[in-house]
Amino acid sequence: MNYNVNEQGYYGEFGGAYVPEILQKNVKELRENYLKIMQSPDFIAEIDQLLHDYAGRPTPLYFAKRLSEEVGAKVYLKREDLCHTGAHKINNALGQILLARRMGKTRIVAETGAGQHGVATATVCALMNMECVVYMGETDVNRQFLNVQRMKMLGAKVVPVISGNKTLKDATNEAIRDWCCNPQNTFYIIGSVVGPHPYPDIVAKFQSVISEEIKKQLKEKEGRENPDYLIACVGGGSNAAGTFYHYLQNEEVKLYEAEAAGLGIDTDMTAATIHLGKEGVLHGSRTLIMQTPDGQIVEPYSISAGLDYPGIGPMHANLARMGRAKVFAITDKQAMDAALRLTRLEGIIPAIESSHALAILAEAKFKPSDVIVVTVSGRGDKDMNTYSKYFEGQF
Amino acid sequence: MDRIKRLFDSKKNEKILSVYFTAGFPKKDSTVDVIKALSDGGVDMIEIGIPFSDPMADGPVIQQSSQKALDNGMTQNLLFEQLKDIRKVTDIPLILMGYINTAMQFGFENLCKKAVEVGIDGFIIPDIPLEEYSSQYKPIVEKYGLKFILLITPETPEERIRKIDSASSGFIYMVSSASTTGAQNSFSEDKQRYFKKIADMNLKNPTLVGFGVSNKATFDAACEHSRGAIIGSAFIRALEEQPTVQDAVKSLISKL
């Protein structure tokens, strides 16, 4: 079974490139050139050097001893939280801006929800001296003040989006509209494995450095490349795509993903897209989407600002459909408990997104001999307000 | 009866005016009133927008009208209910314009079936690209005898324009510029060159220009090298500003 994208841009029945005609030329140029560019020796040399010297790779694969004792299995943490800017998002932002330069584009647009991808994009634009416009829902602008300030200090223009629900999906609509209006000079740096083909594949490939490193590091530590389980959270699904990438065809490695159940999948305050979504087209790709029976997109809810996206990367829709990945719906409470547990056992405050992945450790059954790798996609600094409010009085 | 063909055949020496509005806007039940007012006002063709929560090809005016229509409680079932006697009201071509996601949830074939039942002539769905249309949707559209209008833009290469012309039926929607929908005050010489280039290609389908047509200057410029023009946002704005739908139509026509 091939779990990668096919030549038509589909993962099984999911994916494709449903974009307005004005963007067809751009998307075609990207489709015809991305592999050639990304495989060229000078591109590989440049991205490798930046990932190493600038982003701080390889990130450690850390054996979490005390957590392992609690779980009753060998738990390793892939420390993407230690990347420059605080999350795995920088891997993709660096890759795409180099791609944009080689495609001759001079202006960058991006969408952001919690602000992590916006910060990563603003960072690489500062580094490469490129104009940067970040679209961010007005609601998110207000609740992610610190990241807005970071983007501004980095020289990006942050445009608050007032359409729709004023969150990530609306910011994405607005970034696509900007791209429609400026197709000649503008490159859209998408932050997750979503959007029209070839974006899901581009982002997955730039994030695949995560699983490439896991293979090497696990070999050194355990004498084998393959863990029994890989665990990651999915909003759009970029860190999970990177964590799984080099293991996709290797069916003996079990893939577990955590999506945000919010207050529970039997409530309407949830973001569990794979559990509850129906097939449709959002942001240029055919995938599972949270929507009404009449096809209006529903605004999802999660305590984590990075997981409340109403769609899911087409790769993940397919992994779930084919039974290759097992998808857990993790509630706010399960995630927050897992965050506190990791913090107290290992002295690592994870991003709330990552806490959803960590919560699977308490939900699934493992054997003492199992080797598990959990990707800690980001650090929790940005979430301190939410954590302190949630645990009020407990510290 | 092919109303679209009849329109283009009968107006060989006149310019065609097609107007877009969003179903369920400004009020849930104004759909039929708006169609009647436009038809009575002398408009040649009407595009009925199916509201969608995430209309990525539309500018702010049409986005807001869609949101308002949804807030009003507009749905696809309700639209077909409203349109059930529409052929007693007007005989001009009526086209449904919307996005693929709502069509998928309604069921694409079901959409075609219902459209034929009420007397709709065709569809414009801007996020169904040529390739997906040809491989997945064209056989269904043709089975029901409907037209499917594809778009071309200043970014579309000549070879692709030929393919679009070959797959498209009824007419071709010529997008004036790299933009989302919304009013512009004038059309530059660049646009005129692009319109002329397309006219000189002698396509099988007639073309209408849309995006940015809002007044006499842009309407005349759009028509110079095409069979007519499509107005959307400017009419939505008139519906917002004028006390009645009849006044909105009058206001629009007076500007042309």
Side-chain angles (χ1 to χ4, degrees), chain B residues 43-235:
Chain B
V43 164
D44 299 304
M45 178 156 62
I46 299 173
E47 293 165 25
I48 305 164
I50 301 173
F52 179 45
S53 56
D54 294 75
M56 71 175 169
D58 285 303
V61 173
I62 292 178
Q63 281 173 48
Q64 280 156 27
S65 70
S66 287
Q67 194 53 54
K68 180 82 197 310
L70 294 174
D71 293 345
N72 288 343
M74 200 58 203
T75 65
Q76 294 175 89
N77 276 322
L78 181 60
L79 174 61
F80 286 112
E81 181 62 28
Q82 291 173 345
L83 293 179
K84 81 177 165 350
D85 293 323
I86 201 65
R87 283 304 170 199
K88 292 179 188 158
V89 174
T90 182
D91 199 38
I92 65 174
L94 299 174
I95 294 166
L96 289 182
M97 185 158 183
Y99 287 83
I100 181 175
N101 192 62
T102 48
M104 279 174 76
Q105 302 318 308
F106 197 73
F108 192 80
E109 179 143 15
N110 190 31
L111 187 69
C112 292
K113 189 167 154 277
K114 288 278 168 55
V116 169
E117 275 169 25
V118 299
I120 293 292
D121 301 287
F123 295 123
I124 302 173
I125 304 181
D127 58 349
I128 297 186
L130 168 67
E131 295 73 14
E132 266 74 11
Y133 173 64
S134 300
S135 63
Q136 297 175 47
Y137 300 101
K138 194 163 182 269
I140 308 173
V141 168
E142 287 176 350
K143 177 177 152 193
Y144 286 89
L146 290 156
K147 306 290 180 197
F148 197 91
I149 293 99
L150 288 160
L151 291 78
I152 61 171
T153 77
E155 293 283 301
T156 313
E158 187 165 335
E159 189 194 341
R160 188 174 166 86
I161 292 175
R162 295 279 176 206
K163 286 185 190 157
I164 288 173
D165 186 37
S166 156
S168 204
S169 49
F171 64 95
I172 284 179
Y173 193 129
M174 182 156 57
V175 174
S176 68
S177 51
S179 65
T180 52
T181 56
Q184 295 168 26
N185 285 324
S186 64
F187 280 166
S188 65
E189 281 177 28
D190 271 4
K191 287 199 187 93
Q192 286 299 343
R193 271 195 295 276
Y194 152 63
F195 298 155
K196 174 147 194 330
K197 187 190 95 180
I198 304 299
D200 291 345
M201 284 179 72
N202 289 313
L203 300 176
K204 143 189 113 140
N205 287 289
T207 57
L208 296 180
V209 172
F211 285 37
V213 183
S214 65
N215 53 25
K216 184 160 170 49
T218 44
F219 183 79
D220 290 348
C223 291
E224 202 171 314
H225 300 291
S226 77
R227 298 292 303 280
I230 301 158
I231 296 183
S233 297
F235 180 58

Side-chain angles (χ1 to χ4, degrees), chain A residues 36 257 271 273 315 364 367 380:
Chain A
K36 203 166 54 194
E257 32 191 71
T273 310
M315 173 203 266
K367 296 195 302 285

Side-chain angles (χ1 to χ4, degrees), chain A residues 329-385:
Chain A
I330 300 296
T331 62
D332 289 357
K333 179 173 188 314
Q334 290 169 320
M336 298 306 262
D337 289 349
L340 190 56
R341 177 161 88 154
L342 183 75
T343 304
R344 294 295 167 88
L345 288 173
E346 301 289 347
I348 297 169
I349 302 180
I352 301 177
E353 291 80 12
S354 318
S355 307
H356 284 73
L358 291 157
I360 290 182
L361 294 172
E363 297 307 310
K365 291 265 180 290
F366 301 102
K367 296 195 302 285
S369 60
D370 283 338
V371 173
I372 304 165
V373 176
V374 186
T375 296
V376 181
S377 55
R379 56 179 174 247
D381 305 29
K382 68 178 175 61
D383 297 315
M384 283 321 298
N385 265 338

Side-chain angles (χ1 to χ4, degrees), chain A residues 13-14 277-280 286-288 291 321, chain B residues 101 104-105:
Chain A
E13 60 195 271
F14 302 105
K278 282 186 302 179
E279 272 172 56
R286 183 179 176 124
T287 187
L288 297 171
Q291 53 185 317
R321 172 70 51 92
Chain B
N101 192 62
M104 279 174 76
Q105 302 318 308

Side-chain angles (χ1 to χ4, degrees), chain A residues 1 7 59 87 114 166 217 371:
Chain A
M1 188 68 72
E7 275 187 20
T59 57
K166 306 173 187 160
Q217 293 168 321
V371 173

